[in-house]
Amino acid sequence: MIDEKILLSLKYWFTEYVKGFYSENADFQQNIDMKVEHTRRVCREIIDIGKSLSLSQKELFLAEAIALLHDVGRFEQYAHYQTFVDYYSEDHAELGVKIIKSNGVLINSDEPTRDLILRTILYHNRAELPKDETERCLFFSKLLRDADKLDILRVVTNYYQENNGKRNEAIELNLPDLPGISDNIYADLLAERIAKAKDLKTLNDFKLFQMGWIYDVNFTRTFQLIRERHYLEKIRNALPKTERVLKVYSKIKTFLEQGCQEIY
Ligand SMILES: [Fe+2]
C-alpha cells in the first residue's frame, strides 16, 4: 500500500535525486527540466484519469507513485548518452527499475506493492503489454501509458509549434525532414494499427506515428482530453496537407470521436 506519508517521502526522494543531475550547461539543464516537468504533469494526468474511473484515495496514491517514478531512468540516460532515444542508448524503463532498486526507493512499501510499481514501470514503454500479467498490473500499466501519452502529446505539439526550425536531437530520432509518408506507416494507420518504429523513415512519419498512439489509448477520459486539447489538429498542422496526411487524420479523428463516446 502507498499512503500519503510514503508518497510524500517518494516525492522528496525524487526532488533530491534529480538535483544530482543539475548542470550549468543550459541545453543539458533544459532537458533535465523537461523531464521533471513531464513527470509532474504525468502525476496530474494519472490522478485525473484515475478520478474519472472513481478510484479510491488509496489507489490514487499508488497511481501517483507510479507516475512519479516511471521516468526516473531518463536522468541517468541523458547524463550518460545525451539522448532520450532508447534505440541509441538503452531501455529507460529497465534503467529506471535498476535505479529504484539500487537506491532502495521503495524500501518502505510492502513487497506486492513494490513489485507492482516496478512491473508497471518496466512495461510503460513497450510496444505491447504482456499477456500473462495480473488484471491489477495491467490496469495500472494502462493508466500509466495513457497519462504518459497525454503528456508526450503536449510536449511534441508544443515542440512542433514553437521550435522555429531549431531541432532538439535529444527528443528526435534524427529522421530527415523529407516530404511524403512511408507506405508501411500509412497502411498501418489506415488499418487502425499502431505503426512500427522500425518503419519510420521521415520526420513526417514520426509525426503521424504519434497521432496513431490514439489506437493504444485505454480510457474514455484520455480520449476526451486529447480532443479538448486539440492534439490531433496540432500535429496535422505541423504536417504538409497531402492526401495521405488528410486521410490518416480523418481516420484517427473518427476513432477519437468514438473513443470519447464510450461509457466506462
Ligand atoms: Fe514518461
Side-chain angles (χ1 to χ4, degrees), residues 35 38-39 42 67 70-71 74 92 124 144 148-149 152:
K35 286 299 173 192
H38 167 67
T39 299
V42 176
H70 88 281
D71 259 353
R74 287 300 195 186
H92 75 277
H124 90 272
L144 175 59
D148 197 23
K149 282 196 183 72
I152 298 173

Side-chain angles (χ1 to χ4, degrees), residues 14-185:
F14 179 83
T15 307
E16 292 303 308
Y17 175 75
V18 164
K19 280 184 192 162
F21 294 90
Y22 282 6
S23 164
E24 290 181 358
N25 177 308
D27 283 346
F28 191 101
Q29 186 62 35
Q30 193 194 354
N31 280 313
I32 298 298
D33 289 344
M34 179 175 78
K35 286 299 173 192
V36 172
E37 181 61 15
H38 167 67
T39 299
R40 273 202 204 104
R41 289 188 187 245
V42 176
C43 287
R44 268 190 256 159
E45 305 287 16
I46 210 166
I47 293 169
D48 184 325
I49 304 167
K51 283 186 175 165
S52 82
L53 300 166
S54 310
L55 293 194
S56 67
Q57 186 56 59
K58 233 168 58 187
E59 306 214 280
L60 290 174
F61 285 143
L62 173 60
E64 192 176 351
I66 288 170
L68 177 73
L69 298 177
H70 88 281
D71 259 353
V72 115
R74 287 300 195 186
F75 304 97
E76 183 89 40
Q77 179 185 41
Y78 187 71
H80 206 269
Y81 305 96
Q82 284 82 54
T83 181
F84 294 124
V85 181
D86 289 2
Y87 181 76
Y88 296 137
S89 52
E90 63 179 296
D91 185 317
H92 75 277
E94 282 175 24
L95 183 57
V97 167
K98 269 187 229 160
I99 291 165
I100 293 166
K101 283 184 180 167
S102 65
N103 285 275
V105 181
L106 293 171
I107 203 99
N108 293 324
S109 315
D110 56 276
E111 211 186 320
T113 304
R114 194 157 60 217
D115 221 56
L116 177 73
I117 295 175
L118 292 177
R119 277 180 294 143
T120 307
I121 293 173
L122 193 61
Y123 304 148
H124 90 272
N125 61 342
R126 293 205 179 162
E128 275 174 46
L129 286 172
K131 303 267 181 286
D132 55 347
E133 258 302 346
T134 61
E135 278 288 309
R136 188 167 161 78
C137 178
L138 291 175
F139 173 75
F140 281 98
S141 297
K142 287 175 183 173
L143 262 188
L144 175 59
R145 287 161 69 98
D146 272 32
D148 197 23
K149 282 196 183 72
L150 266 178
D151 194 61
I152 298 173
L153 286 169
R154 176 190 64 85
V155 172
V156 298
T157 50
N158 279 343
Y159 175 65
Y160 296 144
Q161 280 188 315
E162 291 167 11
N163 72 333
N164 299 321
K166 185 173 176 268
R167 296 178 68 165
N168 181 347
E169 287 173 4
I171 65 172
E172 275 190 31
L173 294 168
N174 291 324
L175 295 166
D177 194 2
L178 299 170
I181 307 300
S182 303
D183 292 344
N184 289 346
I185 300 284

Side-chain angles (χ1 to χ4, degrees), residues 194-250:
I194 289 273
K196 295 171 197 71
K198 69 169 177 51
D199 291 329
L200 296 169
K201 294 196 174 69
T202 66
L203 185 57
N204 287 339
D205 284 349
F206 190 52
K207 290 173 180 172
L208 276 185
F209 169 77
Q210 290 165 336
M211 222 192 241
W213 283 342
I214 203 104
Y215 296 138
D216 194 37
V217 164
N218 299 290
F219 301 106
T220 308
R221 179 69 182 150
T222 313
F223 284 115
Q224 291 168 344
L225 289 170
I226 291 173
R227 181 170 66 178
E228 256 174 46
R229 298 173 187 171
H230 305 289
Y231 288 144
L232 296 188
E233 290 74 14
K234 286 179 182 172
I235 298 178
R236 183 201 56 195
N237 294 343
L239 281 156
K241 296 201 169 21
T242 61
E243 200 189 322
R244 280 194 168 190
V245 167
L246 296 177
K247 269 200 172 148
V248 169
Y249 167 77
S250 125

